[in-house]
């Protein structure tokens, strides 16, 4: 994408809610006494793992696709992703009868590749990592006249994702904090947008894996887009640099940014199974991991914890039971 993307507003989020109304019902948000006892806080667990694609990103994909005109839909979209962004775009394209190409780095997770093909998208394997896949995706978009969709620097994706936070604040206007896991930062930026308008007293707290701290370090530096090592095994959180648009929004509104290590995330996945009978993927458990790692910051408070996704692989599920043993 060329040029500086426009900053989405709360009006964009409200428009996205109207666009999504016919496609996605609100997801549940529950409190579990066992989880409250474990954390020492009143936790409201927002179940984005209950989305049809298993993750919150489908809100953004559908919003972007709904906003294209007939000609744009006929030309279709190209995305690059190893996981949930790919499924979101493929799902939205199928709903709107639009062509969709997904570029994944060679040798992708077979379950995720299968899910994307099952949704009817064309899957192309190219490049050794996501950066190389992105270059290839850009080339395909130019050749075929399709719309290239970035993973985070897209106002429509942030506006769509913000509808999750409209639901959170509608249900629970008096929250002390909402904790959001970060990869590219669209989820945390969306939370900031909604909180600033609807719940200014609620702190938005972001979380990243200490093994992939690019967004955290970028935010701490005041909003530069820093490159950092990207070694987390948690798929949705694996990014190597900060994104311009999301960093700009986080810089103005984010209250705090915490780091947790990958083993703590696996422990939180286990806690969600035990206390909330919920299967989260690693990224979907990272917000709870932050609450468990920094309990003094949230003690006695009402805290919304975003369970952003449930697409755990079989090996990931087996690894959590090892944590429990
Ligand atoms: C993509 C993703 C994240 C991170 O979201 P960003 O908007 O990229 O910061 C967190 N959890 C899950 C399950 C994801 O798929």
């Amino acid at each position: 994408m060329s040029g500086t993307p426009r900053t989405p507003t709360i009006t964009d989020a409200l428009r996205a809610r109207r666009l999504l109304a016919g496609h996605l019902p609100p997801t549940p948000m529950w409190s579990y006494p066992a989880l409250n006892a474990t954390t020492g806080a009143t936790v409201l667990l927002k179940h984005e793992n209950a989305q049809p694609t298993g993750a919150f990103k489908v809100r953004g994909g559908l919003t972007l696709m709904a906003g294209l005109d007939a000609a744009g839909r006929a030309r279709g979209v190209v995305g690059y992703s190893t996981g949930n962004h790919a499924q979101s775009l493929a799902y939205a394209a199928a709903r709107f009868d639009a062509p969709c190409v997904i570029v994944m780095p060679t040798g992708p997770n077979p379950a995720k590749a299968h899910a994307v093909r099952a949704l009817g998208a064309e899957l192309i394997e190219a490049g050794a990592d996501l950066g190389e896949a992105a270059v290839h995706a850009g080339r395909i978009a130019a050749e075929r006249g399709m719309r290239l969709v970035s993973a985070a620097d897209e106002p429509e994706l942030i506006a769509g994702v913000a509808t999750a936070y409209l639901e959170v604040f509608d249900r629970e206007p008096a929250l002390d904090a909402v904790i959001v896991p970060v990869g590219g930062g669209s989820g945390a930026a969306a939370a900031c947008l909604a909180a600033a308008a609807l719940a200014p007293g609620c702190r938005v707290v972001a979380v990243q894996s200490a093994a992939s701290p690019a967004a955290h370090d970028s935010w701490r530096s005041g909003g530069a887009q820093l490159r950092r090592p990207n070694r987390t095994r948690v798929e949705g959180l694996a990014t190597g640099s900060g994104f311009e648009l999301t960093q700009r929004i986080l810089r103005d509104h984010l209250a705090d940014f915490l780091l947790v290590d990958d083993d703590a995330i696996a422990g939180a996945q286990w806690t969600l199974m035990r206390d909330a009978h919920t299967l989260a993927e690693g990224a979907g458990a990272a917000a709870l991991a932050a609450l468990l790692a920094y309990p003094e910051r949230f003690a006695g408070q009402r805290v919304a914890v975003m369970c952003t996704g449930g697409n755990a692989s079989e090996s990931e599920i087996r690894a959590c039971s090892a944590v429990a043993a």
Side-chain angles (χ1 to χ4, degrees), residues 54-57 84-85 151-152 181-188 236-237 239 281 283-284 308-310:
F56 74 95
K57 287 197 178 70
N84 290 334
H85 178 52
V182 171
S186 69
L237 308 185
T239 45
E281 61 187 286
T308 47

Side-chain angles (χ1 to χ4, degrees), residues 108-199:
N109 175 333
K112 293 194 165 162
H114 175 72
V116 162
R117 284 206 188 89
L119 287 165
E122 177 185 346
L123 182 65
I124 296 176
E125 291 185 33
D129 58 23
L130 205 55
E132 290 183 22
V135 173
H136 194 81
R139 208 174 299 138
I140 290 174
E143 280 166 17
R144 303 193 192 176
M146 298 169 93
R147 162 84 150 79
L148 181 67
V149 184
S150 154
D153 273 350
E154 296 278 359
E156 290 85 356
L157 296 189
I158 295 172
V161 168
T163 60
Y165 298 90
L166 299 180
E167 292 172 18
V168 167
F169 297 127
D170 279 352
R171 271 280 294 280
E172 284 290 330
L175 287 169
D176 295 298
V178 55
I179 313 182
V180 186
V182 171
S186 69
C192 286
L193 198 70
L198 302 177

